[in-house]
Amino acid sequence: MAQRRRNYRKYVWWGAGLVLVLLVVGIVIGMNSSNGADNPGDNSEVVEQKDESNQDEKTEQERKDEEVANQQKVKQYEGEDPNQAEELSGVVTYAGVSDDVLMIRTSIDQYLTEGSCNLTLVRGSDIIYGDTTNIVGDVSTASCEGFDVPVAVLGEGNIKILIVLNADGRVGSISGEVNIE
Protein backbone atom coordinates (compact mmCIF):
# COMPACT_ATOMS: atom_id res chain seq x y z
CA MET A 1 0.00 0.00 0.00
CA ALA A 2 1.31 3.39 -0.97
CA GLN A 3 1.61 6.07 1.59
CA ARG A 4 -0.06 9.41 0.93
CA ARG A 5 1.86 12.55 1.51
CA ARG A 6 -0.19 15.14 3.18
CA ASN A 7 0.19 18.66 1.95
CA TYR A 8 0.52 20.82 5.07
CA ARG A 9 1.82 23.80 3.15
CA LYS A 10 -1.63 25.30 2.52
CA TYR A 11 -2.45 25.07 6.23
CA VAL A 12 0.82 26.79 7.10
CA TRP A 13 0.06 29.64 4.68
CA TRP A 14 -3.49 30.05 6.02
CA GLY A 15 -2.19 30.08 9.59
CA ALA A 16 0.53 32.61 8.78
CA GLY A 17 -2.02 34.84 7.04
CA LEU A 18 -4.38 34.70 10.01
CA VAL A 19 -1.57 35.55 12.43
CA LEU A 20 -0.54 38.48 10.21
CA VAL A 21 -4.11 39.86 10.09
CA LEU A 22 -4.48 39.57 13.87
CA LEU A 23 -1.14 41.32 14.36
CA VAL A 24 -2.15 44.25 12.12
CA VAL A 25 -5.52 44.60 13.88
CA GLY A 26 -3.79 44.58 17.28
CA ILE A 27 -1.34 47.29 16.20
CA VAL A 28 -4.12 49.52 14.81
CA ILE A 29 -6.18 49.18 18.00
CA GLY A 30 -3.12 49.86 20.13
CA MET A 31 -2.24 52.99 18.18
CA ASN A 32 -5.78 54.38 18.37
CA SER A 33 -6.07 53.86 22.10
CA SER A 34 -2.62 55.30 22.82
CA ASN A 35 -3.15 58.51 20.78
CA GLY A 36 -5.35 60.09 23.41
CA ALA A 37 -3.41 58.73 26.41
CA ASP A 38 0.19 59.75 25.56
CA ASN A 39 0.07 63.48 26.26
CA PRO A 40 -3.31 64.43 27.68
CA GLY A 41 -2.04 67.70 29.15
CA ASP A 42 -0.42 68.90 25.94
CA ASN A 43 -3.39 68.08 23.73
CA SER A 44 -5.98 69.62 26.02
CA GLU A 45 -3.99 72.86 26.27
CA VAL A 46 -3.75 73.15 22.50
CA VAL A 47 -7.45 72.39 22.10
CA GLU A 48 -8.40 74.95 24.77
CA GLN A 49 -6.27 77.64 23.11
CA LYS A 50 -7.83 76.97 19.72
CA ASP A 51 -11.32 76.93 21.21
CA GLU A 52 -10.85 80.29 22.95
CA SER A 53 -9.42 82.02 19.88
CA ASN A 54 -12.01 80.67 17.42
CA GLN A 55 -15.07 80.69 19.70
CA ASP A 56 -16.40 84.03 18.42
CA GLU A 57 -15.75 83.08 14.79
CA LYS A 58 -17.50 79.74 15.18
CA THR A 59 -20.58 81.20 16.79
CA GLU A 60 -20.92 83.83 14.07
CA GLN A 61 -20.36 81.24 11.36
CA GLU A 62 -22.83 78.85 12.98
CA ARG A 63 -25.43 81.60 13.10
CA LYS A 64 -24.93 82.37 9.42
CA ASP A 65 -25.17 78.67 8.53
CA GLU A 66 -28.40 78.31 10.51
CA GLU A 67 -29.92 81.35 8.80
CA VAL A 68 -29.01 79.98 5.36
CA ALA A 69 -30.42 76.56 6.29
CA ASN A 70 -33.66 78.11 7.52
CA GLN A 71 -34.03 80.14 4.33
CA GLN A 72 -33.46 77.08 2.13
CA LYS A 73 -36.16 75.01 3.82
CA VAL A 74 -39.14 74.95 1.50
CA LYS A 75 -42.43 73.35 2.38
CA GLN A 76 -43.08 70.63 -0.12
CA TYR A 77 -46.83 70.74 0.39
CA GLU A 78 -49.00 73.61 1.44
CA GLY A 79 -52.44 72.86 2.76
CA GLU A 80 -53.96 69.45 3.17
CA ASP A 81 -53.03 66.24 1.40
CA PRO A 82 -55.27 66.01 -1.71
CA ASN A 83 -55.26 62.21 -1.48
CA GLN A 84 -57.23 62.50 1.78
CA ALA A 85 -59.88 64.81 0.30
CA GLU A 86 -63.47 63.55 0.14
CA GLU A 87 -63.94 64.88 -3.40
CA LEU A 88 -61.76 64.33 -6.45
CA SER A 89 -60.39 67.42 -8.15
CA GLY A 90 -58.30 68.36 -11.13
CA VAL A 91 -57.88 70.66 -14.08
CA VAL A 92 -58.12 70.61 -17.87
CA THR A 93 -54.48 70.90 -18.91
CA TYR A 94 -55.10 71.13 -22.65
CA ALA A 95 -58.16 71.69 -24.81
CA GLY A 96 -57.43 72.50 -28.43
CA VAL A 97 -57.91 71.48 -32.03
CA SER A 98 -55.21 69.57 -33.84
CA ASP A 99 -55.75 67.95 -37.28
CA ASP A 100 -59.52 68.44 -37.10
CA VAL A 101 -59.70 66.71 -33.71
CA LEU A 102 -60.55 68.40 -30.40
CA MET A 103 -58.01 67.07 -27.90
CA ILE A 104 -58.86 67.34 -24.20
CA ARG A 105 -56.24 66.39 -21.60
CA THR A 106 -56.60 66.51 -17.81
CA SER A 107 -54.65 66.22 -14.60
CA ILE A 108 -56.25 64.84 -11.45
CA ASP A 109 -54.88 66.09 -8.11
CA GLN A 110 -55.17 62.72 -6.37
CA TYR A 111 -53.18 59.57 -6.97
CA LEU A 112 -55.58 56.99 -8.40
CA THR A 113 -54.95 53.71 -10.15
CA GLU A 114 -58.40 53.12 -11.59
CA GLY A 115 -61.72 54.84 -12.12
CA SER A 116 -63.64 56.61 -14.85
CA CYS A 117 -63.82 60.02 -16.49
CA ASN A 118 -67.19 60.95 -18.01
CA LEU A 119 -66.95 63.80 -20.55
CA THR A 120 -69.91 65.99 -21.46
CA LEU A 121 -69.57 68.80 -24.01
CA VAL A 122 -72.28 71.47 -23.84
CA ARG A 123 -73.11 74.35 -26.20
CA GLY A 124 -75.65 76.74 -24.69
CA SER A 125 -78.00 74.37 -22.89
CA ASP A 126 -77.65 71.44 -25.33
CA ILE A 127 -75.43 68.42 -24.75
CA ILE A 128 -73.59 67.93 -28.03
CA TYR A 129 -71.19 65.10 -27.14
CA GLY A 130 -70.46 62.56 -24.39
CA ASP A 131 -67.72 59.98 -23.84
CA THR A 132 -66.11 57.94 -21.06
CA THR A 133 -62.46 56.96 -20.53
CA ASN A 134 -60.45 55.35 -17.76
CA ILE A 135 -58.33 57.04 -15.13
CA VAL A 136 -54.61 56.37 -15.48
CA GLY A 137 -52.21 56.60 -12.51
CA ASP A 138 -49.04 58.64 -12.73
CA VAL A 139 -46.20 59.06 -10.21
CA SER A 140 -48.06 61.20 -7.67
CA THR A 141 -51.23 62.18 -9.52
CA ALA A 142 -53.53 60.70 -12.13
CA SER A 143 -55.19 61.73 -15.38
CA CYS A 144 -57.93 60.72 -17.74
CA GLU A 145 -56.73 58.68 -20.72
CA GLY A 146 -57.64 61.62 -22.93
CA PHE A 147 -60.50 62.58 -25.17
CA ASP A 148 -60.16 62.99 -28.94
CA VAL A 149 -63.37 64.28 -30.52
CA PRO A 150 -63.74 64.91 -34.27
CA VAL A 151 -64.48 68.60 -34.89
CA ALA A 152 -67.03 67.64 -37.56
CA VAL A 153 -69.25 66.21 -34.81
CA LEU A 154 -69.06 69.39 -32.74
CA GLY A 155 -69.20 72.27 -35.17
CA GLU A 156 -67.87 75.75 -34.46
CA GLY A 157 -68.37 77.95 -31.41
CA ASN A 158 -67.79 78.10 -27.67
CA ILE A 159 -68.10 74.74 -25.91
CA LYS A 160 -68.20 74.07 -22.16
CA ILE A 161 -66.28 71.03 -20.95
CA LEU A 162 -67.56 69.05 -17.97
CA ILE A 163 -65.75 65.91 -16.80
CA VAL A 164 -67.14 63.87 -13.90
CA LEU A 165 -64.51 61.79 -12.08
CA ASN A 166 -65.47 58.60 -10.26
CA ALA A 167 -62.90 56.47 -8.37
CA ASP A 168 -62.39 54.76 -5.02
CA GLY A 169 -65.94 55.60 -3.94
CA ARG A 170 -65.29 59.32 -4.43
CA VAL A 171 -66.68 61.68 -7.04
CA GLY A 172 -65.48 65.02 -8.37
CA SER A 173 -65.64 67.23 -11.42
CA ILE A 174 -63.41 69.18 -13.74
CA SER A 175 -64.68 71.97 -15.96
CA GLY A 176 -63.30 74.17 -18.70
CA GLU A 177 -64.09 75.85 -21.99
CA VAL A 178 -62.83 75.73 -25.54
CA ASN A 179 -63.62 77.80 -28.60
CA ILE A 180 -63.62 76.01 -31.93
CA GLU A 181 -63.21 78.25 -34.98
Side-chain angles (χ1 to χ4, degrees):
M1 194 186 259
Q3 274 188 329
R4 286 187 180 177
R5 272 184 79 184
R6 293 189 179 183
N7 189 357
Y8 291 107
R9 289 182 187 169
K10 67 178 180 181
Y11 297 115
V12 170
W13 283 109
W14 277 102
L18 182 61
V19 168
L20 182 62
V21 168
L22 291 174
L23 183 64
V24 169
V25 169
I27 291 172
V28 169
I29 290 173
M31 290 177 66
N32 284 338
S33 65
S34 67
N35 277 346
D38 284 346
N39 297 320
D42 293 343
N43 287 341
S44 61
E45 288 175 12
V46 171
V47 171
E48 287 176 15
Q49 289 174 355
K50 287 181 181 179
D51 284 344
E52 289 173 5
S53 64
N54 293 330
Q55 185 175 11
D56 293 331
E57 291 176 18
K58 285 182 182 179
T59 56
E60 288 177 24
Q61 185 64 31
E62 287 173 359
R63 286 184 202 140
K64 289 179 184 177
D65 291 343
E66 288 175 7
E67 287 176 12
V68 170
N70 288 337
Q71 290 174 354
Q72 291 177 351
K73 290 182 184 175
V74 177
K75 288 185 180 181
Q76 185 174 0
Y77 301 106
E78 290 186 14
E80 303 211 5
D81 182 9
N83 290 316
Q84 304 301 323
E86 292 180 20
E87 291 185 5
L88 299 176
S89 60
V91 65
V92 174
T93 56
Y94 178 76
V97 177
S98 176
D99 295 327
D100 293 328
V101 174
L102 172 62
M103 298 172 53
I104 301 172
R105 302 297 183 257
T106 62
S107 177
I108 301 171
D109 296 333
Q110 291 79 16
Y111 175 74
L112 304 167
T113 56
E114 58 184 31
S116 65
C117 299
N118 300 315
L119 170 70
T120 304
L121 298 178
V122 179
R123 178 179 292 123
S125 60
D126 298 330
I127 296 174
I128 58 172
Y129 186 83
D131 194 8
T132 300
T133 63
N134 294 322
I135 290 177
V136 179
D138 201 354
V139 176
S140 63
T141 62
S143 65
C144 297
E145 283 182 345
F147 300 98
D148 295 331
V149 183
V151 174
V153 174
L154 303 174
E156 294 182 355
N158 192 26
I159 298 173
K160 292 182 183 180
I161 301 168
L162 177 63
I163 301 172
V164 177
L165 308 170
N166 189 355
D168 295 336
R170 298 184 286 175
V171 178
S173 65
I174 299 174
S175 61
E177 286 188 27
V178 64
N179 190 24
I180 298 176
E181 296 178 355

